[in-house]
Amino acid sequence: KAGVTQTPRYLIKTRGQQVTLSCSPISGHRSVSWYQQTPGQGLQFLFEYFSETQRNKGNFPGRFSGRQFSNSRSEMNVSTLELGDSALYLCASSGRIGPMDTQYFGPGTRLTVL
Amino acid sequence: DAKTTQPTSMDCAEGRAANLPCNHSTISGNEYVYWYRQIHSQGPQYIIHGLKNNETNEMASLIITEDRKSSTLILPHATLRDTAVYYCIVTRDHNYGQNFVFGPGTRLSVLP
């Protein structure tokens, strides 16, 4: 099976702009989660989508939003970019191994805000 | 979900077993122990998970103590490519979706 794919892999934006990142989950996976990773804060959970519905949300401002399509592909959007939004954004899709969901991560999108 | 404590860093000689400890003294009966690793600037890679029995797969072994308050991830024959940050996560099956809480992890350096 193909793994989780994320596009683009690298992105440079300026403050005030908005950005959309895309994630294609592993075939058959219906849950997609997004994480932000920065050197100072580590890996932090943004939100999780299942069957086009946001099921869980982390502690991030409303500038961070997401959506999921009927084919389970997901996008996340960051509006009014700030310098502190520079980070590696990771997407993970979930599948069952035994009784538990296990997350499989994509390679990430490296966002740099200038 | 229970919190975990891991050493900040460890070294291991190439070809030797790497034993990475994790303390999760407040773990609940329905919480699983997961291990992931992250090689520099790549996405975290799933390694293994378990509830109370020891587990083994092609990558590693997971040893969970009988009281489940700690566990050890064992890479039997470490190679240079195993140099990474290793994360121990304790979580249960949330019916509202999985949300892994990553700590700082252990930075494992495999030395030639």
Side-chain angles (χ1 to χ4, degrees), chain B residues 10 18-19 25-26 31 38 41-42 46 59 62 69 73-74 83 85 87 98-99 101 104 107:
Chain B
M10 294 181 62
N19 297 284
S25 58
T26 61
E31 289 183 313
Q38 187 173 25
S41 291
Q42 297 180 21
Y46 166 76
M59 288 183 68
L62 173 61
K69 293 185 177 183
L73 178 74
I74 301 172
T83 292
V85 177
Y87 299 100
Q98 215 63 36
N99 163 17
V101 177
R107 184 170 299 277

Side-chain angles (χ1 to χ4, degrees), chain A:
Chain A
K1 271 187 184 178
V4 177
T5 58
Q6 292 187 245
T7 57
R9 294 292 312 279
Y10 302 91
L11 206 48
I12 299 175
K13 292 285 188 179
T14 56
R15 277 183 302 173
Q17 287 187 310
Q18 74 163 13
V19 67
T20 299
L21 312 181
S22 181
C23 172
S24 293
I26 292 171
S27 176
H29 287 188
R30 295 165 63 190
S31 167
V32 173
S33 299
W34 288 89
Y35 292 80
Q36 180 197 65
Q37 186 172 29
T38 60
Q41 299 296 321
L43 261 160
Q44 293 185 289
F45 172 75
L46 280 157
F47 30 65
E48 186 254 356
Y49 285 86
F50 180 83
S51 292
E52 303 179 65
T53 300
Q54 187 181 89
R55 277 198 306 194
N56 201 2
K57 188 177 187 302
N59 189 25
F60 277 82
R63 300 185 297 108
F64 292 82
S65 63
R67 59 177 176 168
Q68 187 180 34
F69 302 96
S70 58
N71 62 358
S72 294
R73 192 176 68 83
S74 177
E75 289 180 348
M76 69 161 283
N77 184 277
V78 188
S79 62
T80 319
L81 284 166
E82 300 176 0
L83 295 178
D85 297 333
S86 294
L88 181 67
Y89 289 88
L90 293 156
C91 164
S93 72
S94 294
R96 282 273 161 170
I97 298 182
M100 286 285 286
D101 275 349
T102 294
Q103 294 192 353
Y104 298 89
F105 286 81
T109 294
R110 171 80 56 191
L111 172 65
T112 302
V113 181
L114 303 176

